[in-house]
Coordinates of all heavy atoms in Angstrom, one line a residue:
F137 N 77.1 133.4 104.2 CA 77.8 133.0 102.9 C 77.6 134.1 101.8 O 78.2 134.0 100.8 CB 77.4 131.7 102.4 CG 77.9 130.5 103.3 CD1 77.1 129.6 103.8 CD2 79.3 130.4 103.5 CE1 77.5 128.5 104.7 CE2 79.8 129.4 104.3 CZ 78.9 128.5 104.8
R165 N 98.6 112.3 116.6 CA 99.0 113.2 115.5 C 97.8 113.8 114.8 O 97.8 115.0 114.5 CB 99.9 112.6 114.5 CG 101.3 112.1 115.2 CD 102.1 111.6 114.0 NE 103.4 111.3 114.6 CZ 104.5 110.9 113.9 NH1 104.4 110.8 112.5 NH2 105.6 110.6 114.4
D182 N 87.7 118.5 108.8 CA 87.1 117.4 108.0 C 88.1 116.2 108.2 O 89.2 116.2 107.9 CB 87.0 117.7 106.5 CG 86.2 116.6 105.8 OD1 85.2 116.4 106.2 OD2 86.7 116.2 104.7
I183 N 87.4 115.2 108.9 CA 88.2 114.0 109.3 C 87.9 112.8 108.4 O 86.7 112.5 108.2 CB 87.9 113.6 110.8 CG1 88.1 114.9 111.7 CG2 88.7 112.5 111.2 CD1 87.3 114.8 113.0
E198 N 86.5 99.5 111.6 CA 87.9 100.0 111.5 C 87.8 101.5 111.2 O 88.5 102.4 111.6 CB 88.7 99.3 110.4 CG 90.2 99.8 110.4 CD 91.0 98.9 109.4 OE1 90.5 97.8 109.1 OE2 92.1 99.4 109.1
A215 N 84.4 124.8 116.7 CA 84.6 124.6 115.2 C 83.7 123.6 114.7 O 83.1 122.8 115.3 CB 85.9 124.0 115.0
Q223 N 79.9 105.6 104.3 CA 79.4 104.6 105.1 C 78.3 105.0 106.0 O 78.6 105.8 107.0 CB 80.3 103.8 105.9 CG 81.5 103.1 105.0 CD 81.0 101.8 104.5 OE1 79.7 101.5 104.4 NE2 81.9 100.9 103.9
E225 N 76.7 103.8 108.6 CA 77.0 103.3 109.9 C 78.1 104.2 110.5 O 78.0 104.6 111.7 CB 77.2 101.8 110.1 CG 77.5 101.4 111.4 CD 76.3 101.7 112.4 OE1 75.3 101.9 112.1 OE2 76.6 101.7 113.7
N239 N 80.4 114.4 105.1 CA 81.0 114.8 103.8 C 81.1 113.5 102.9 O 82.0 112.7 103.0 CB 82.3 115.3 104.0 CG 83.0 115.9 102.7 OD1 82.3 116.0 101.6 ND2 84.3 116.1 102.7
A248 N 70.7 105.2 102.3 CA 70.6 105.0 103.8 C 71.4 106.1 104.4 O 71.0 106.6 105.6 CB 71.1 103.7 104.3
D255 N 67.7 111.8 110.3 CA 67.5 111.5 111.7 C 68.3 112.2 112.8 O 68.4 111.9 113.9 CB 67.5 110.1 111.9 CG 66.4 109.3 111.3 OD1 65.4 109.9 110.9 OD2 66.6 108.0 111.0
V261 N 77.2 117.0 102.9 CA 77.8 117.5 101.7 C 77.6 116.5 100.6 O 78.0 115.3 100.7 CB 79.3 117.8 101.9 CG1 80.0 118.2 100.6 CG2 79.6 118.8 103.0
T271 N 86.2 102.1 93.9 CA 86.4 101.4 92.6 C 86.8 102.3 91.5 O 86.4 103.6 91.6 CB 85.1 100.7 92.1 OG1 84.1 101.6 91.9 CG2 84.6 99.7 93.1
P272 N 87.6 101.9 90.5 CA 88.1 102.8 89.5 C 86.9 103.1 88.5 O 86.0 102.5 88.4 CB 89.2 102.0 88.9 CG 88.9 100.6 89.1 CD 88.1 100.5 90.4
E284 N 76.2 117.9 83.2 CA 76.0 116.6 83.8 C 76.2 116.6 85.3 O 75.5 115.9 86.1 CB 76.9 115.5 83.2 CG 76.5 115.4 81.6 CD 77.4 114.4 80.9 OE1 77.8 113.3 81.4 OE2 77.7 114.7 79.8
E291 N 69.6 115.9 91.2 CA 69.0 114.6 91.5 C 69.2 114.2 92.9 O 68.3 113.6 93.6 CB 69.4 113.6 90.5 CG 68.8 113.9 89.1 CD 69.3 112.9 88.0 OE1 70.3 112.2 88.3 OE2 68.8 113.0 86.9
R292 N 70.4 114.4 93.3 CA 70.8 113.8 94.7 C 70.3 114.8 95.8 O 70.0 114.4 96.9 CB 72.3 113.6 94.8 CG 72.9 112.6 93.8 CD 72.2 111.3 93.9 NE 72.5 110.3 92.9 CZ 73.5 109.4 93.0 NH1 74.1 109.3 94.1 NH2 73.7 108.6 92.0
D294 N 67.4 116.2 95.4 CA 66.0 115.7 95.5 C 65.9 114.4 96.4 O 64.9 114.3 97.1 CB 65.5 115.5 94.1 CG 65.1 116.7 93.3 OD1 65.1 117.9 94.0 OD2 65.0 116.7 92.1
G300 N 64.0 113.3 103.8 CA 63.7 114.1 105.1 C 64.8 115.0 105.5 O 64.8 115.6 106.5
R305 N 70.1 122.0 105.4 CA 71.2 121.2 105.9 C 71.9 120.4 104.7 O 72.4 119.3 104.9 CB 70.7 120.3 106.9 CG 70.3 120.9 108.3 CD 70.4 119.9 109.4 NE 69.1 119.3 109.7 CZ 68.9 118.0 109.6 NH1 69.9 117.2 109.3 NH2 67.8 117.4 109.8
I308 N 76.7 121.5 98.6 CA 77.2 120.6 97.4 C 78.6 120.9 97.0 O 79.2 121.9 97.4 CB 76.2 121.1 96.1 CG1 76.2 122.6 95.9 CG2 74.8 120.6 96.4 CD1 75.5 123.0 94.6
G311 N 83.1 118.1 93.0 CA 83.9 117.0 93.0 C 85.1 117.1 91.9 O 85.3 116.2 91.1
D313 N 88.4 116.6 90.1 CA 89.2 115.4 90.0 C 88.6 114.1 90.3 O 89.1 112.9 89.9 CB 90.5 115.5 90.7 CG 91.6 116.2 89.9 OD1 91.3 116.9 88.9 OD2 92.8 116.3 90.4
S321 N 88.0 119.2 85.1 CA 88.1 120.0 86.2 C 88.3 121.4 86.1 O 87.7 122.3 86.7 CB 89.2 119.4 87.2 OG 89.0 118.2 87.8
D346 N 95.4 116.7 91.3 CA 96.2 116.5 90.2 C 95.9 117.5 88.9 O 96.7 117.8 88.2 CB 95.9 115.1 89.6 CG 96.6 114.1 90.4 OD1 97.6 114.4 91.1 OD2 96.3 112.8 90.4
V348 N 95.6 120.6 89.3 CA 96.5 121.7 89.6 C 97.9 121.3 89.1 O 98.6 122.2 88.5 CB 96.6 122.1 90.9 CG1 97.5 123.2 91.4 CG2 95.1 122.6 91.5
A396 N 88.5 140.9 102.4 CA 88.7 142.3 102.6 C 88.6 143.1 101.3 O 88.0 144.3 101.3 CB 90.1 142.5 103.2

Side-chain angles (χ1 to χ4, degrees):
F137 287 125
R165 292 189 176 186
D182 189 48
I183 305 156
E198 183 176 345
Q223 297 278 15
E225 178 60 20
N239 181 16
D255 289 340
V261 179
T271 62
E284 292 176 45
E291 290 174 349
R292 297 308 170 94
D294 287 345
R305 292 201 273 119
I308 57 173
D313 272 13
S321 291
D346 285 343
V348 174

